[in-house]
């Protein structure tokens, strides 16, 4: 299955008075990219929620490298940096589509949570097929490859 980066056009409402993306929006884009990544793996968030599993966020960080402006297009590249039966860590690179300029880098850490039992869970046990898909991508630079 070919995976593509998540592409995002900057909307006016996401900018400040100077036409520059408000910093908190990068976190939203990371979440959107995670959702798209899960869908490309054939197991969207709604599938997990319906199965009683959440991927709970424990940490998130952004490192802003250059300004993004209204109307620009950004590709969000996602890679799995760490995986265990109960935890997942992801890295993000947000790159201007036209120039290739790095706009932002980020990280998020998560744990798998069993909604029915109200406690952390091992995805490897609950959804082994999804865990295997994650495992196949873990540690590989750029789970989404740049087309540049």
């Amino acid at each position: 299955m070919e995976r593509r980066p998540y592409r995002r056009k900057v909307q006016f409402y996401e900018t400040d008075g100077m036409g520059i993306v408000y910093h908190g929006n990068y976190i939203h884009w990371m979440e959107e990219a995670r959702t798209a990544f899960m869908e490309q793996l054939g197991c969207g968030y709604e599938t997990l929620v319906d199965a009683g599993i959440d991927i709970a966020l424990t940490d998130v960080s952004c490192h802003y490298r250059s300004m993004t402006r209204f109307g620009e297009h950004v590709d969000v590249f996602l890679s799995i940096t760490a995986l265990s039966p109960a935890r997942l860590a992801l890295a993000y690179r947000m790159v201007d589509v036209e120039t290739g300029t790095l706009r932002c880098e980020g990280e998020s850490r998560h744990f798998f949570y069993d909604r029915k039992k109200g406690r952390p869970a091992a995805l490897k046990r609950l959804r082994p097929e999804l865990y295997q898909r994650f495992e196949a991508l873990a540690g590989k630079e750029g789970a989404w490859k740049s087309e540049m």
Side-chain angles (χ1 to χ4, degrees), residues 14-72:
E14 296 173 308
T15 64
D16 60 18
M18 298 180 291
I20 298 168
V21 171
Y22 171 71
H23 68 275
N25 285 308
Y26 293 94
I27 302 291
H28 293 287
W29 298 352
M30 290 164 57
E31 182 173 351
E32 291 171 11
R34 278 194 310 275
T35 300
F37 179 67
M38 295 291 293
E39 289 169 359
Q40 286 191 27
L41 287 178
C43 187
Y45 268 114
E46 66 280 355
T47 303
L48 289 178
V49 170
D50 289 348
I53 303 167
D54 275 327
I55 302 177
L57 181 71
T58 61
D59 299 276
V60 65
S61 66
C62 274
H63 307 281
Y64 307 102
R65 303 301 184 203
S66 60
M67 293 180 280
T68 308
R69 299 178 187 281
F70 169 65
E72 293 179 341

Side-chain angles (χ1 to χ4, degrees), residues 12-136:
F12 183 75
Y13 71 86
E14 296 173 308
T15 64
D16 60 18
M18 298 180 291
I20 298 168
V21 171
Y22 171 71
H23 68 275
N25 285 308
Y26 293 94
I27 302 291
H28 293 287
W29 298 352
M30 290 164 57
E31 182 173 351
E32 291 171 11
R34 278 194 310 275
T35 300
F37 179 67
M38 295 291 293
E39 289 169 359
Q40 286 191 27
L41 287 178
C43 187
Y45 268 114
E46 66 280 355
T47 303
L48 289 178
V49 170
D50 289 348
I53 303 167
D54 275 327
I55 302 177
L57 181 71
T58 61
D59 299 276
V60 65
S61 66
C62 274
H63 307 281
Y64 307 102
R65 303 301 184 203
S66 60
M67 293 180 280
T68 308
R69 299 178 187 281
F70 169 65
E72 293 179 341
H73 289 84
V74 175
D75 276 346
V76 182
F77 297 90
L78 181 148
S79 59
I80 298 172
T81 57
L83 176 68
S84 75
R87 295 189 176 274
L88 174 68
L90 303 167
Y92 308 82
R93 287 179 51 251
M94 294 167 224
V95 177
D96 182 274
V97 170
E98 188 175 315
T99 66
T101 303
L102 179 63
R103 299 296 189 202
C104 183
E105 295 174 293
E107 298 175 315
S108 64
R109 296 184 183 279
H110 310 264
F111 71 93
F112 304 107
Y113 183 79
D114 186 324
R115 293 173 139 214
K116 295 171 188 166
K117 295 182 180 177
R119 63 179 187 216
L123 185 67
K124 188 174 185 175
R125 181 178 50 78
L126 295 173
R127 292 297 301 263
E129 74 289 351
L130 179 58
Y131 185 83
Q132 288 171 354
R133 291 180 202 157
F134 282 160
E135 198 171 40

